[in-house]
Amino acid sequence: AQSVTQPDIHITVSEGASLELRCNYSYGATPYLFWYVQSPGQGLQLLLKYFSGDTLVQGIKGFEAEFKRSQSSFNLRKPSVHWSDAAEYFCAVGRYGNKLVFGAGTILRVKS
Amino acid sequence: KAGVTQTPRYLIKTRGQQVTLSCSPISGHRSVSWYQQTPGQGLQFLFEYFSETQRNKGNFPGRFSGRQFSNSRSEMNVSTLELGDSALYLCASSEGTGQNTEAFFGQGTRLTVV
């Protein structure tokens, strides 16, 4: 069965510090992987996606993620966090863009 | 280009009633999917429509149904509402259902069942 695990429910980082959000997936075929961000009461905004090719993908707002097939991971990183990055982040897996399996989410808090 | 539009944004219904939620996809997008988001279960896939046909369905009871119109707009209906149906319902649209498509989400409809 397809599944996504985000081990960290909450993460708190200081503004300006680096960030890594973890994501592990289980999927029968070669997965398509996504990271979305959600602000309170809002919908989901796509940060980045991996379909194939270069395993390091760049996204919006300075985020990047690395696909590691051997570890079934797709961790999200940002070198320097801004207070406006505080939100909930979701990793998702799917073969087609419109049927996604989501992780439980990681709430990011940013300390000033 | 306008984004995905969901109406209404907020809704309060009484247990046992039924409700219809609407989603207008991005212009040119023919695929619409629906997701339910709750604190306990997270984001769960409900169903997907493409060219007025249901392509995929999640693991929800038959009280949850949907449809898509010829202009790609979609509605979902929940009958005999239960307290547990209180959730944020998100609609996503994409150009198609093939590979390398990405889903764009609306802001959601917050349904509260009392």
Side-chain angles (χ1 to χ4, degrees), chain B residues 39-65:
Chain B
Q41 299 299 317
L43 280 153
Q44 294 185 287
F45 173 78
L46 280 157
F47 27 66
E48 176 186 14
Y49 287 87
F50 179 79
S51 293
E52 303 178 65
T53 302
Q54 187 179 87
R55 298 292 292 260
N56 289 291
K57 190 176 190 305
N59 188 26
F60 279 81
R63 300 185 297 107
F64 291 81
S65 63

PDB file of all heavy atoms in Angstrom, chain B residues 39-65:
ATOM      1  N   PRO B  39      -8.253  17.009  11.509  1.00  0.00           N
ATOM      2  CA  PRO B  39      -7.107  16.897  12.414  1.00  0.00           C
ATOM      3  C   PRO B  39      -6.750  15.437  12.712  1.00  0.00           C
ATOM      4  O   PRO B  39      -5.576  15.114  12.852  1.00  0.00           O
ATOM      5  CB  PRO B  39      -7.584  17.619  13.670  1.00  0.00           C
ATOM      6  CG  PRO B  39      -8.634  18.560  13.185  1.00  0.00           C
ATOM      7  CD  PRO B  39      -9.317  17.853  12.055  1.00  0.00           C
ATOM      8  N   GLY B  40      -7.729  14.573  12.764  1.00  0.00           N
ATOM      9  CA  GLY B  40      -7.452  13.188  13.133  1.00  0.00           C
ATOM     10  C   GLY B  40      -6.963  12.320  11.998  1.00  0.00           C
ATOM     11  O   GLY B  40      -6.075  11.487  12.180  1.00  0.00           O
ATOM     12  N   GLN B  41      -7.521  12.497  10.817  1.00  0.00           N
ATOM     13  CA  GLN B  41      -7.204  11.637   9.679  1.00  0.00           C
ATOM     14  C   GLN B  41      -6.301  12.296   8.644  1.00  0.00           C
ATOM     15  O   GLN B  41      -5.838  11.635   7.716  1.00  0.00           O
ATOM     16  CB  GLN B  41      -8.493  11.178   8.994  1.00  0.00           C
ATOM     17  CG  GLN B  41      -9.417  10.377   9.881  1.00  0.00           C
ATOM     18  CD  GLN B  41      -8.758   9.098  10.362  1.00  0.00           C
ATOM     19  OE1 GLN B  41      -8.099   8.392   9.599  1.00  0.00           O
ATOM     20  NE2 GLN B  41      -8.909   8.797  11.639  1.00  0.00           N
ATOM     21  N   GLY B  42      -6.065  13.588   8.796  1.00  0.00           N
ATOM     22  CA  GLY B  42      -5.213  14.278   7.838  1.00  0.00           C
ATOM     23  C   GLY B  42      -5.909  14.474   6.502  1.00  0.00           C
ATOM     24  O   GLY B  42      -7.132  14.587   6.435  1.00  0.00           O
ATOM     25  N   LEU B  43      -5.117  14.495   5.456  1.00  0.00           N
ATOM     26  CA  LEU B  43      -5.632  14.707   4.097  1.00  0.00           C
ATOM     27  C   LEU B  43      -5.929  13.362   3.448  1.00  0.00           C
ATOM     28  O   LEU B  43      -5.037  12.537   3.291  1.00  0.00           O
ATOM     29  CB  LEU B  43      -4.602  15.452   3.248  1.00  0.00           C
ATOM     30  CG  LEU B  43      -4.535  16.948   3.432  1.00  0.00           C
ATOM     31  CD1 LEU B  43      -3.149  17.468   3.097  1.00  0.00           C
ATOM     32  CD2 LEU B  43      -5.582  17.630   2.541  1.00  0.00           C
ATOM     33  N   GLN B  44      -7.175  13.178   3.060  1.00  0.00           N
ATOM     34  CA  GLN B  44      -7.566  11.912   2.451  1.00  0.00           C
ATOM     35  C   GLN B  44      -8.261  12.166   1.122  1.00  0.00           C
ATOM     36  O   GLN B  44      -9.124  13.031   1.016  1.00  0.00           O
ATOM     37  CB  GLN B  44      -8.496  11.140   3.390  1.00  0.00           C
ATOM     38  CG  GLN B  44      -7.830  10.681   4.669  1.00  0.00           C
ATOM     39  CD  GLN B  44      -8.774   9.816   5.495  1.00  0.00           C
ATOM     40  OE1 GLN B  44      -9.719  10.298   6.100  1.00  0.00           O
ATOM     41  NE2 GLN B  44      -8.531   8.519   5.483  1.00  0.00           N
ATOM     42  N   PHE B  45      -7.897  11.359   0.138  1.00  0.00           N
ATOM     43  CA  PHE B  45      -8.456  11.459  -1.198  1.00  0.00           C
ATOM     44  C   PHE B  45      -9.883  10.938  -1.222  1.00  0.00           C
ATOM     45  O   PHE B  45     -10.164   9.841  -0.720  1.00  0.00           O
ATOM     46  CB  PHE B  45      -7.574  10.646  -2.148  1.00  0.00           C
ATOM     47  CG  PHE B  45      -8.099  10.500  -3.535  1.00  0.00           C
ATOM     48  CD1 PHE B  45      -7.979  11.531  -4.445  1.00  0.00           C
ATOM     49  CD2 PHE B  45      -8.714   9.324  -3.938  1.00  0.00           C
ATOM     50  CE1 PHE B  45      -8.454  11.392  -5.735  1.00  0.00           C
ATOM     51  CE2 PHE B  45      -9.193   9.175  -5.224  1.00  0.00           C
ATOM     52  CZ  PHE B  45      -9.062  10.215  -6.129  1.00  0.00           C
ATOM     53  N   LEU B  46     -10.774  11.744  -1.796  1.00  0.00           N
ATOM     54  CA  LEU B  46     -12.182  11.342  -1.921  1.00  0.00           C
ATOM     55  C   LEU B  46     -12.466  10.733  -3.281  1.00  0.00           C
ATOM     56  O   LEU B  46     -12.864   9.578  -3.388  1.00  0.00           O
ATOM     57  CB  LEU B  46     -13.091  12.547  -1.697  1.00  0.00           C
ATOM     58  CG  LEU B  46     -13.344  12.940  -0.248  1.00  0.00           C
ATOM     59  CD1 LEU B  46     -13.759  14.399  -0.154  1.00  0.00           C
ATOM     60  CD2 LEU B  46     -14.419  12.048   0.351  1.00  0.00           C
ATOM     61  N   PHE B  47     -12.312  11.523  -4.336  1.00  0.00           N
ATOM     62  CA  PHE B  47     -12.519  11.033  -5.692  1.00  0.00           C
ATOM     63  C   PHE B  47     -11.950  12.006  -6.701  1.00  0.00           C
ATOM     64  O   PHE B  47     -11.615  13.143  -6.382  1.00  0.00           O
ATOM     65  CB  PHE B  47     -14.005  10.771  -6.030  1.00  0.00           C
ATOM     66  CG  PHE B  47     -14.998  11.592  -5.270  1.00  0.00           C
ATOM     67  CD1 PHE B  47     -15.081  12.970  -5.444  1.00  0.00           C
ATOM     68  CD2 PHE B  47     -15.868  10.994  -4.376  1.00  0.00           C
ATOM     69  CE1 PHE B  47     -15.997  13.727  -4.746  1.00  0.00           C
ATOM     70  CE2 PHE B  47     -16.795  11.745  -3.671  1.00  0.00           C
ATOM     71  CZ  PHE B  47     -16.856  13.110  -3.855  1.00  0.00           C
ATOM     72  N   GLU B  48     -11.834  11.502  -7.933  1.00  0.00           N
ATOM     73  CA  GLU B  48     -11.290  12.285  -9.028  1.00  0.00           C
ATOM     74  C   GLU B  48     -12.201  12.157 -10.237  1.00  0.00           C
ATOM     75  O   GLU B  48     -12.693  11.065 -10.544  1.00  0.00           O
ATOM     76  CB  GLU B  48      -9.893  11.790  -9.410  1.00  0.00           C
ATOM     77  CG  GLU B  48      -9.303  12.502 -10.623  1.00  0.00           C
ATOM     78  CD  GLU B  48      -7.988  11.901 -11.086  1.00  0.00           C
ATOM     79  OE1 GLU B  48      -7.662  10.794 -10.652  1.00  0.00           O
ATOM     80  OE2 GLU B  48      -7.304  12.559 -11.885  1.00  0.00           O
ATOM     81  N   TYR B  49     -12.401  13.272 -10.905  1.00  0.00           N
ATOM     82  CA  TYR B  49     -13.210  13.303 -12.116  1.00  0.00           C
ATOM     83  C   TYR B  49     -12.397  13.849 -13.274  1.00  0.00           C
ATOM     84  O   TYR B  49     -11.583  14.764 -13.099  1.00  0.00           O
ATOM     85  CB  TYR B  49     -14.462  14.167 -11.917  1.00  0.00           C
ATOM     86  CG  TYR B  49     -15.476  13.497 -11.047  1.00  0.00           C
ATOM     87  CD1 TYR B  49     -15.422  13.629  -9.663  1.00  0.00           C
ATOM     88  CD2 TYR B  49     -16.474  12.697 -11.593  1.00  0.00           C
ATOM     89  CE1 TYR B  49     -16.339  12.983  -8.856  1.00  0.00           C
ATOM     90  CE2 TYR B  49     -17.396  12.050 -10.789  1.00  0.00           C
ATOM     91  CZ  TYR B  49     -17.308  12.203  -9.414  1.00  0.00           C
ATOM     92  OH  TYR B  49     -18.213  11.550  -8.613  1.00  0.00           O
ATOM     93  N   PHE B  50     -12.633  13.271 -14.420  1.00  0.00           N
ATOM     94  CA  PHE B  50     -11.998  13.739 -15.647  1.00  0.00           C
ATOM     95  C   PHE B  50     -13.011  13.585 -16.773  1.00  0.00           C
ATOM     96  O   PHE B  50     -13.555  12.500 -16.961  1.00  0.00           O
ATOM     97  CB  PHE B  50     -10.731  12.936 -15.951  1.00  0.00           C
ATOM     98  CG  PHE B  50     -10.033  13.352 -17.211  1.00  0.00           C
ATOM     99  CD1 PHE B  50      -9.233  14.472 -17.221  1.00  0.00           C
ATOM    100  CD2 PHE B  50     -10.176  12.618 -18.373  1.00  0.00           C
ATOM    101  CE1 PHE B  50      -8.578  14.867 -18.380  1.00  0.00           C
ATOM    102  CE2 PHE B  50      -9.534  13.005 -19.533  1.00  0.00           C
ATOM    103  CZ  PHE B  50      -8.724  14.132 -19.531  1.00  0.00           C
ATOM    104  N   SER B  51     -13.247  14.659 -17.486  1.00  0.00           N
ATOM    105  CA  SER B  51     -14.224  14.646 -18.576  1.00  0.00           C
ATOM    106  C   SER B  51     -15.536  14.023 -18.149  1.00  0.00           C
ATOM    107  O   SER B  51     -16.077  13.127 -18.809  1.00  0.00           O
ATOM    108  CB  SER B  51     -13.655  13.893 -19.789  1.00  0.00           C
ATOM    109  OG  SER B  51     -12.575  14.601 -20.344  1.00  0.00           O
ATOM    110  N   GLU B  52     -16.030  14.474 -17.012  1.00  0.00           N
ATOM    111  CA  GLU B  52     -17.339  14.104 -16.476  1.00  0.00           C
ATOM    112  C   GLU B  52     -17.419  12.662 -15.988  1.00  0.00           C
ATOM    113  O   GLU B  52     -18.511  12.192 -15.651  1.00  0.00           O
ATOM    114  CB  GLU B  52     -18.442  14.369 -17.521  1.00  0.00           C
ATOM    115  CG  GLU B  52     -18.495  15.816 -17.999  1.00  0.00           C
ATOM    116  CD  GLU B  52     -19.555  16.046 -19.054  1.00  0.00           C
ATOM    117  OE1 GLU B  52     -20.747  15.893 -18.730  1.00  0.00           O
ATOM    118  OE2 GLU B  52     -19.185  16.368 -20.209  1.00  0.00           O
ATOM    119  N   THR B  53     -16.296  11.970 -15.929  1.00  0.00           N
ATOM    120  CA  THR B  53     -16.280  10.570 -15.498  1.00  0.00           C
ATOM    121  C   THR B  53     -15.453  10.432 -14.233  1.00  0.00           C
ATOM    122  O   THR B  53     -14.376  11.010 -14.127  1.00  0.00           O
ATOM    123  CB  THR B  53     -15.683   9.673 -16.600  1.00  0.00           C
ATOM    124  OG1 THR B  53     -16.443   9.818 -17.780  1.00  0.00           O
ATOM    125  CG2 THR B  53     -15.677   8.214 -16.152  1.00  0.00           C
ATOM    126  N   GLN B  54     -15.970   9.661 -13.292  1.00  0.00           N
ATOM    127  CA  GLN B  54     -15.186   9.409 -12.087  1.00  0.00           C
ATOM    128  C   GLN B  54     -14.071   8.441 -12.436  1.00  0.00           C
ATOM    129  O   GLN B  54     -14.324   7.310 -12.861  1.00  0.00           O
ATOM    130  CB  GLN B  54     -16.069   8.823 -10.975  1.00  0.00           C
ATOM    131  CG  GLN B  54     -15.343   8.710  -9.641  1.00  0.00           C
ATOM    132  CD  GLN B  54     -16.234   8.156  -8.551  1.00  0.00           C
ATOM    133  OE1 GLN B  54     -16.343   6.944  -8.369  1.00  0.00           O
ATOM    134  NE2 GLN B  54     -16.900   9.043  -7.827  1.00  0.00           N
ATOM    135  N   ARG B  55     -12.836   8.832 -12.193  1.00  0.00           N
ATOM    136  CA  ARG B  55     -11.686   8.020 -12.555  1.00  0.00           C
ATOM    137  C   ARG B  55     -11.148   7.220 -11.367  1.00  0.00           C
ATOM    138  O   ARG B  55     -10.619   6.128 -11.533  1.00  0.00           O
ATOM    139  CB  ARG B  55     -10.573   8.921 -13.108  1.00  0.00           C
ATOM    140  CG  ARG B  55     -10.947   9.661 -14.366  1.00  0.00           C
ATOM    141  CD  ARG B  55     -11.114   8.725 -15.541  1.00  0.00           C
ATOM    142  NE  ARG B  55      -9.836   8.142 -15.915  1.00  0.00           N
ATOM    143  CZ  ARG B  55      -9.096   8.576 -16.922  1.00  0.00           C
ATOM    144  NH1 ARG B  55      -9.501   9.594 -17.632  1.00  0.00           N
ATOM    145  NH2 ARG B  55      -7.963   7.982 -17.214  1.00  0.00           N
ATOM    146  N   ASN B  56     -11.204   7.820 -10.202  1.00  0.00           N
ATOM    147  CA  ASN B  56     -10.695   7.161  -9.009  1.00  0.00           C
ATOM    148  C   ASN B  56     -11.581   7.513  -7.831  1.00  0.00           C
ATOM    149  O   ASN B  56     -12.196   8.579  -7.802  1.00  0.00           O
ATOM    150  CB  ASN B  56      -9.262   7.620  -8.689  1.00  0.00           C
ATOM    151  CG  ASN B  56      -8.252   7.081  -9.671  1.00  0.00           C
ATOM    152  OD1 ASN B  56      -7.977   5.889  -9.700  1.00  0.00           O
ATOM    153  ND2 ASN B  56      -7.692   7.968 -10.473  1.00  0.00           N
ATOM    154  N   LYS B  57     -11.617   6.613  -6.875  1.00  0.00           N
ATOM    155  CA  LYS B  57     -12.431   6.851  -5.693  1.00  0.00           C
ATOM    156  C   LYS B  57     -11.661   6.406  -4.474  1.00  0.00           C
ATOM    157  O   LYS B  57     -11.018   5.350  -4.477  1.00  0.00           O
ATOM    158  CB  LYS B  57     -13.746   6.079  -5.790  1.00  0.00           C
ATOM    159  CG  LYS B  57     -14.761   6.447  -4.726  1.00  0.00           C
ATOM    160  CD  LYS B  57     -16.062   5.698  -4.957  1.00  0.00           C
ATOM    161  CE  LYS B  57     -17.186   6.216  -4.071  1.00  0.00           C
ATOM    162  NZ  LYS B  57     -16.854   6.215  -2.636  1.00  0.00           N
ATOM    163  N   GLY B  58     -11.730   7.200  -3.428  1.00  0.00           N
ATOM    164  CA  GLY B  58     -11.084   6.853  -2.176  1.00  0.00           C
ATOM    165  C   GLY B  58     -11.991   5.988  -1.330  1.00  0.00           C
ATOM    166  O   GLY B  58     -13.077   5.571  -1.741  1.00  0.00           O
ATOM    167  N   ASN B  59     -11.559   5.733  -0.112  1.00  0.00           N
ATOM    168  CA  ASN B  59     -12.268   4.822   0.767  1.00  0.00           C
ATOM    169  C   ASN B  59     -13.238   5.588   1.665  1.00  0.00           C
ATOM    170  O   ASN B  59     -13.013   5.718   2.864  1.00  0.00           O
ATOM    171  CB  ASN B  59     -11.260   4.026   1.606  1.00  0.00           C
ATOM    172  CG  ASN B  59     -11.911   2.929   2.395  1.00  0.00           C
ATOM    173  OD1 ASN B  59     -12.969   2.426   2.007  1.00  0.00           O
ATOM    174  ND2 ASN B  59     -11.312   2.554   3.507  1.00  0.00           N
ATOM    175  N   PHE B  60     -14.283   6.079   1.082  1.00  0.00           N
ATOM    176  CA  PHE B  60     -15.315   6.812   1.825  1.00  0.00           C
ATOM    177  C   PHE B  60     -16.666   6.155   1.578  1.00  0.00           C
ATOM    178  O   PHE B  60     -16.877   5.534   0.538  1.00  0.00           O
ATOM    179  CB  PHE B  60     -15.358   8.279   1.365  1.00  0.00           C
ATOM    180  CG  PHE B  60     -14.303   9.135   2.003  1.00  0.00           C
ATOM    181  CD1 PHE B  60     -13.009   9.142   1.516  1.00  0.00           C
ATOM    182  CD2 PHE B  60     -14.605   9.921   3.116  1.00  0.00           C
ATOM    183  CE1 PHE B  60     -12.029   9.923   2.108  1.00  0.00           C
ATOM    184  CE2 PHE B  60     -13.637  10.704   3.711  1.00  0.00           C
ATOM    185  CZ  PHE B  60     -12.347  10.704   3.200  1.00  0.00           C
ATOM    186  N   PRO B  61     -17.597   6.313   2.526  1.00  0.00           N
ATOM    187  CA  PRO B  61     -18.916   5.691   2.334  1.00  0.00           C
ATOM    188  C   PRO B  61     -19.682   6.335   1.197  1.00  0.00           C
ATOM    189  O   PRO B  61     -19.344   7.418   0.717  1.00  0.00           O
ATOM    190  CB  PRO B  61     -19.609   5.937   3.684  1.00  0.00           C
ATOM    191  CG  PRO B  61     -18.865   7.052   4.327  1.00  0.00           C
ATOM    192  CD  PRO B  61     -17.458   6.959   3.836  1.00  0.00           C
ATOM    193  N   GLY B  62     -20.731   5.639   0.781  1.00  0.00           N
ATOM    194  CA  GLY B  62     -21.527   6.090  -0.353  1.00  0.00           C
ATOM    195  C   GLY B  62     -22.240   7.410  -0.127  1.00  0.00           C
ATOM    196  O   GLY B  62     -22.758   8.002  -1.080  1.00  0.00           O
ATOM    197  N   ARG B  63     -22.259   7.874   1.118  1.00  0.00           N
ATOM    198  CA  ARG B  63     -22.872   9.187   1.385  1.00  0.00           C
ATOM    199  C   ARG B  63     -22.114  10.311   0.679  1.00  0.00           C
ATOM    200  O   ARG B  63     -22.647  11.404   0.481  1.00  0.00           O
ATOM    201  CB  ARG B  63     -22.869   9.479   2.891  1.00  0.00           C
ATOM    202  CG  ARG B  63     -23.621   8.482   3.740  1.00  0.00           C
ATOM    203  CD  ARG B  63     -23.678   8.924   5.208  1.00  0.00           C
ATOM    204  NE  ARG B  63     -22.365   9.008   5.829  1.00  0.00           N
ATOM    205  CZ  ARG B  63     -21.736  10.130   6.125  1.00  0.00           C
ATOM    206  NH1 ARG B  63     -22.301  11.299   5.842  1.00  0.00           N
ATOM    207  NH2 ARG B  63     -20.552  10.114   6.713  1.00  0.00           N
ATOM    208  N   PHE B  64     -20.883  10.034   0.348  1.00  0.00           N
ATOM    209  CA  PHE B  64     -20.054  11.013  -0.351  1.00  0.00           C
ATOM    210  C   PHE B  64     -20.138  10.731  -1.856  1.00  0.00           C
ATOM    211  O   PHE B  64     -19.820   9.619  -2.305  1.00  0.00           O
ATOM    212  CB  PHE B  64     -18.604  10.919   0.111  1.00  0.00           C
ATOM    213  CG  PHE B  64     -18.390  11.366   1.522  1.00  0.00           C
ATOM    214  CD1 PHE B  64     -18.658  10.526   2.593  1.00  0.00           C
ATOM    215  CD2 PHE B  64     -17.915  12.645   1.793  1.00  0.00           C
ATOM    216  CE1 PHE B  64     -18.465  10.941   3.901  1.00  0.00           C
ATOM    217  CE2 PHE B  64     -17.702  13.065   3.099  1.00  0.00           C
ATOM    218  CZ  PHE B  64     -17.984  12.214   4.161  1.00  0.00           C
ATOM    219  N   SER B  65     -20.540  11.711  -2.601  1.00  0.00           N
ATOM    220  CA  SER B  65     -20.640  11.536  -4.045  1.00  0.00           C
ATOM    221  C   SER B  65     -20.215  12.819  -4.736  1.00  0.00           C
ATOM    222  O   SER B  65     -20.092  13.873  -4.107  1.00  0.00           O
ATOM    223  CB  SER B  65     -22.069  11.171  -4.453  1.00  0.00           C
ATOM    224  OG  SER B  65     -22.962  12.230  -4.129  1.00  0.00           O
TER     225      SER B  65
END
